[in-house]
Amino acid sequence: MTGPKVIPILHPRLSAGGRIEVAGENTWRLEIPAGPKSNYRLAQLEDYTNLRREDFLWNPPAVLSVTARCSDQEIPGTWGFGLWNDPFSVSLGLGGGSRLWPALPNAAWFFFASPPNYLSLRDDLPAQGSLAATFRSPDIPALLLACGVPALPLLFFPAAARLLRRLGRRFIRQDAGAMALDPAEWHTYSIVWAEDLTAFKVDREQVFETKIVPSGPLGLVIWVDNQFAALPPSGRLAFGTLDNPRTAWIEIEIDYPVAN
């Protein structure tokens, strides 16, 4: 297996009191303060700041392995780590605009989402909780994607949103598996990204695999925030930010692979 083209330098992205502390070699603590839902709070590390998508560092075959834990079994909002193409601003506009033209999502990641998140276009996949998940989408030019922007207000009408949700499945393929674990305990998580298979391991035991493989190149992202987004089968779109009554944090150590 190979890793990224180079050992990446991680760049912080913070809002509303988010903090990142270096806890050791390749080890960080990402933290957002307690606060009301009126503010979007984010602490994020990424290795693609100021890069074009075609210059992102990760391509298959690759292995990402981290050891991580979080402050509570469930953090209001989302947190996680993995590889993606940064298809839109991570804050969905709540914490700043995107630095890249929009794209359809490609990702392989461990994703932890509290209610009321519902993050699936398919009705047969888990859409919140502790997830191992992938997305694969075609490379549609940004200008062509922009032609669909006028249709976005239709998402606020449940009947139209249900139709658009079904249409989205034609372009965005996804797969996900729920994990039975306590993320507040230390675990070692691994993503094995091959040309035709993506496998997810926790403490060296495989917990999920899928033939829906993201299209690269991808960037490394690690984050914790208080955001939610939901497009459930009912078509009732919801998004925003959540109260978190106490400080929320994740601690993570990256075991960088060595390229062949």
Side-chain angles (χ1 to χ4, degrees):
M1 291 292 180
T2 63
K5 299 172 189 175
V6 297
I7 298 300
I9 298 173
L10 294 179
H11 301 273
R13 189 177 179 199
L14 304 168
S15 70
R19 297 176 54 194
I20 297 175
E21 298 178 358
V22 177
E25 185 177 4
N26 297 331
T27 306
W28 297 267
R29 178 185 174 102
L30 288 69
E31 179 181 296
I32 57 173
K37 63 182 180 181
S38 56
N39 290 326
Y40 175 64
R41 293 176 289 280
L42 168 72
Q44 177 172 303
L45 286 169
E46 60 193 39
D47 70 358
Y48 48 82
T49 297
N50 298 324
L51 293 180
R52 299 175 302 174
R53 285 196 184 93
E54 57 265 35
D55 296 325
F56 283 15
L57 300 176
W58 296 76
N59 280 288
V63 177
L64 172 66
S65 183
V66 309
T67 301
R69 66 172 180 172
C70 65
S71 53
D72 295 284
Q73 289 186 345
E74 184 176 272
I75 292 175
T78 73
W79 68 277
F81 41 85
L83 306 171
W84 78 332
N85 65 331
D86 190 22
F88 39 75
S89 173
V90 72
S91 63
L92 296 179
L94 298 172
S98 175
R99 294 150 296 172
L100 299 171
W101 286 101
L104 295 179
N106 282 281
W109 53 14
F110 289 96
F111 199 101
F112 300 84
S114 74
N117 280 288
Y118 194 100
L119 302 169
S120 177
L121 294 174
R122 286 173 46 182
D123 302 342
D124 60 336
L125 294 179
Q128 59 181 226
S130 301
L131 307 176
T134 63
F135 289 86
R136 182 181 179 90
S137 302
D139 183 15
I140 297 177
L143 289 178
L144 187 58
L145 282 179
C147 294
V149 171
L152 292 180
L154 296 175
L155 289 170
F156 291 96
F157 299 92
R162 291 194 295 270
L163 177 62
L164 291 174
R165 191 170 177 268
R166 291 193 297 270
L167 181 63
R169 297 173 199 156
R170 296 177 177 268
F171 298 94
I172 303 171
R173 300 176 64 203
Q174 66 178 114
D175 206 354
M179 300 181 295
L181 55 80
D182 180 359
E185 300 292 334
W186 285 107
H187 296 285
T188 297
Y189 301 84
S190 298
I191 301 171
V192 182
W193 178 24
E195 295 282 355
D196 58 353
L197 186 76
T198 306
F200 296 81
K201 299 179 180 181
V202 177
D203 299 329
R204 299 183 176 85
E205 296 291 330
Q206 185 160 298
V207 294
F208 182 65
E209 74 172 31
T210 177
K211 292 186 178 295
I212 296 181
V213 176
S215 177
L218 302 179
L220 172 63
V221 63
I222 306 162
W223 83 95
V224 56
D225 70 10
N226 68 322
Q227 180 174 251
F228 78 92
L231 185 56
S234 68
R236 296 189 178 277
L237 174 69
F239 59 91
T241 50
L242 300 171
D243 295 313
N244 54 298
R246 53 184 174 270
T247 298
W249 52 262
I250 62 174
E251 293 179 342
I252 188 163
E253 179 182 1
I254 303 176
D255 179 15
Y256 284 118
V258 177
N260 291 334

